[in-house]
Amino acid sequence: MAFRCQRDSYAREFTTTVVSCRPAELQTEGSNGKKVLSGFHVVLEDTLLFPEGGGQPDDHGTINDISVLRVTRRGEQADHFTQTPLDPGSQVLVRVDWERRFDHMQQHSGQHLITAVADHLFKLKTTSWELGRFRSAIELDTPSMTTEQVAAIEQSVNEKIRDRLPVNVRELSLDHPEVEQVRGRGLPDDHAGPVRVVSIKGVDSNMCCGTHVSNLSDLQVIKILGTEKGKKNKTNLIFLAGNRVLKWMERSHGTEKALTALLKCGAEDHVEAVKKLQNSTKILQKNNLNLLRDLAVHIAHSLRNSPDWGGVVVLHRKEGDSEFMNIIANEIGSEETLLFLTVGDEKGAGLFLLAGPPASVETLGPRVAEVLEGKGAGKKGRFQGKATKMSRRTEVQALLQDYITTQSTKE
């Protein structure tokens, strides 16, 4: 039996009767991880809310203003998950989230059209598809596609949209001779009753359970964003249909305006302006690196010649990186002194390096990382890593000084 949503995809509300209501749970995923909701599975005599299937997500909507959080098909019935019970036998008003429904109709009918055209023009067969939240993907049975093929498909589908071709939905018995002629990837194991066939006049006939537009003109426009490598020698064709194209253009135009203001040039010059900025940045980074290296060498010689040289030598700089610290350690080259170097925020996160006698560094390195609440590794008289609490550098210095004092006492 076809649901009301399948018989009339444009219907936005209708009245029906509650058949049953039983306790149920729904597992959801959000920003805080997985969560299990307690509620009820409500079965209606008929439904305006499409249960997920055929690559199409379920509808959102309400029953007597109670939110329906999920709709799933169970044989010839649909389970509506709500967090409020409804009395069996009661009359209820069902409303569909029309913006979501119409979006799904546009994407699903758009997929049928692209699939048919790709097959007709280039014999590219569709193996699966996904109606995503922001974009949709059709998996084609080919390892690659040319830019010319993509452009030809996009041109052809938009010509057919402008031709205002009608889209018809029919129900045929399983033994109807036409069933053998229509495109499809098989029926669900629990399918019962007639076969639903969606046809685009003169273009395509396909077995499908989803909701569709009644005329290709309702698709407005299709934009193919490009291709991506799929699994097992397949290619994913990424597309938008209808209102999604308008929203994509609005976002793109907003980005273009922002870049125009930042780069102080017209949209046609954005790419060249960014290339110039990238080249300038590379030169500045190279110059900065050379200056840091020169500074590291200078600091190393200053430390080596300092009257305070020996025992434990400590240095912290806000600017620098691992290479900066290693240059200092290499220039000093002493295995008689414990050298504790840090770069980064004085109280927050940063990098550290401990250099000195291999045995001492091997012993002290993990303890230094622990005090700084960080992680690190080392070998051959070097231990370096990342720290989260640079504010505890004085504790590390005390730890190193105590170690030196203890070692001197033993000697």
Side-chain angles (χ1 to χ4, degrees), residues 300-363:
H301 291 165
S302 297
L303 289 174
R304 198 79 170 87
N305 298 324
S306 169
D308 297 326
W309 176 257
V312 177
V313 177
V314 176
L315 174 72
H316 175 79
R317 278 187 61 85
K318 187 174 181 180
E319 300 83 11
D321 55 16
S322 294
E323 184 179 7
F324 174 77
M325 293 188 294
N326 275 290
I327 291 174
I328 294 176
N330 289 338
E331 287 294 321
I332 289 176
S334 172
E335 292 188 356
E336 301 171 359
T337 299
L338 283 176
L339 182 64
F340 177 52
L341 306 175
T342 54
V343 294
D345 192 302
E346 288 190 358
K347 295 184 178 180
L351 304 173
F352 71 90
L353 182 146
L354 179 67
S360 301
V361 170
E362 185 178 352
T363 300

Side-chain angles (χ1 to χ4, degrees), residues 13-270:
E13 65 177 53
F14 91 132
T15 301
T16 187
T17 303
V18 177
V19 173
S20 64
C21 179
R22 57 189 174 85
E25 290 185 338
L26 175 66
Q27 183 169 295
T28 62
E29 287 191 32
S31 56
N32 296 324
K34 293 182 179 180
K35 184 178 180 182
V36 177
L37 300 178
S38 296
F40 304 88
H41 272 158
V42 177
V43 176
L44 307 174
E45 279 189 358
D46 200 353
T47 186
L48 198 64
L49 305 182
F50 177 74
E52 58 187 355
Q56 179 177 327
D58 58 343
D59 280 335
H60 289 172
T62 60
I63 302 175
N64 278 0
D65 294 327
I66 297 169
S67 295
V68 177
L69 304 183
R70 184 71 54 82
V71 189
T72 52
R73 186 177 68 88
R74 183 163 52 88
E76 294 186 356
Q77 296 181 324
D79 288 329
H80 306 72
F81 185 88
T82 67
Q83 291 190 285
T84 302
L86 291 160
D87 296 329
S90 61
Q91 295 285 303
V92 292
L93 178 65
V94 182
R95 288 193 178 98
V96 67
D97 178 340
W98 175 246
E99 183 177 356
R100 177 181 170 92
R101 157 68 68 76
F102 190 58
D103 172 57
H104 289 179
M105 289 164 61
Q106 289 184 318
Q107 308 317 309
H108 203 159
S109 296
Q111 176 265 315
H112 278 222
L113 180 58
I114 295 171
T115 287
V117 169
D119 189 7
H120 174 72
L121 291 181
F122 304 111
K123 304 301 180 185
L124 298 175
K125 303 294 183 183
T126 292
T127 51
S128 68
W129 87 291
E130 178 187 13
L131 198 168
R133 184 178 175 187
F134 299 109
R135 63 179 197 168
S136 298
I138 299 172
E139 184 185 74
L140 297 173
D141 191 14
T142 180
S144 63
M145 292 180 68
T146 66
T147 303
E148 291 74 21
Q149 286 177 317
V150 172
I153 293 171
E154 181 176 278
Q155 179 179 343
S156 179
V157 297
N158 282 298
E159 285 174 355
K160 288 171 172 49
I161 291 172
R162 291 191 292 272
D163 288 340
R164 299 173 52 82
L165 299 178
V167 180
N168 299 310
V169 179
R170 296 174 296 152
E171 289 188 358
L172 304 177
S173 61
L174 273 173
D175 57 358
H176 194 287
E178 193 175 334
V179 171
E180 296 295 327
Q181 307 300 318
V182 301
R183 189 169 49 80
R185 297 194 300 274
L187 296 168
D189 293 336
D190 60 351
H191 176 82
V195 175
R196 191 165 177 267
V197 176
V198 178
S199 300
I200 303 172
K201 185 178 180 181
V203 176
D204 182 51
S205 287
N206 183 25
M207 287 187 289
C208 182
C209 65
T211 55
H212 290 272
V213 299
S214 61
N215 191 288
L216 290 188
S217 61
D218 274 353
L219 295 185
Q220 300 167 280
V221 65
I222 285 176
K223 177 60 186 173
I224 298 178
L225 300 179
T227 61
E228 295 177 356
K229 186 177 181 180
K231 55 188 178 183
K232 297 180 180 178
N233 288 322
K234 303 290 196 300
T235 296
N236 295 328
L237 192 68
I238 313 301
F239 77 95
L240 306 172
N243 290 333
R244 292 195 181 192
V245 178
L246 299 179
K247 291 178 180 178
W248 172 73
M249 289 181 66
E250 185 178 354
R251 289 194 303 272
S252 298
H253 183 56
T255 302
E256 182 180 289
K257 287 171 62 179
L259 286 172
T260 296
L262 289 169
L263 299 172
K264 310 296 184 186
C265 64
E268 65 278 5
D269 296 321
H270 284 175

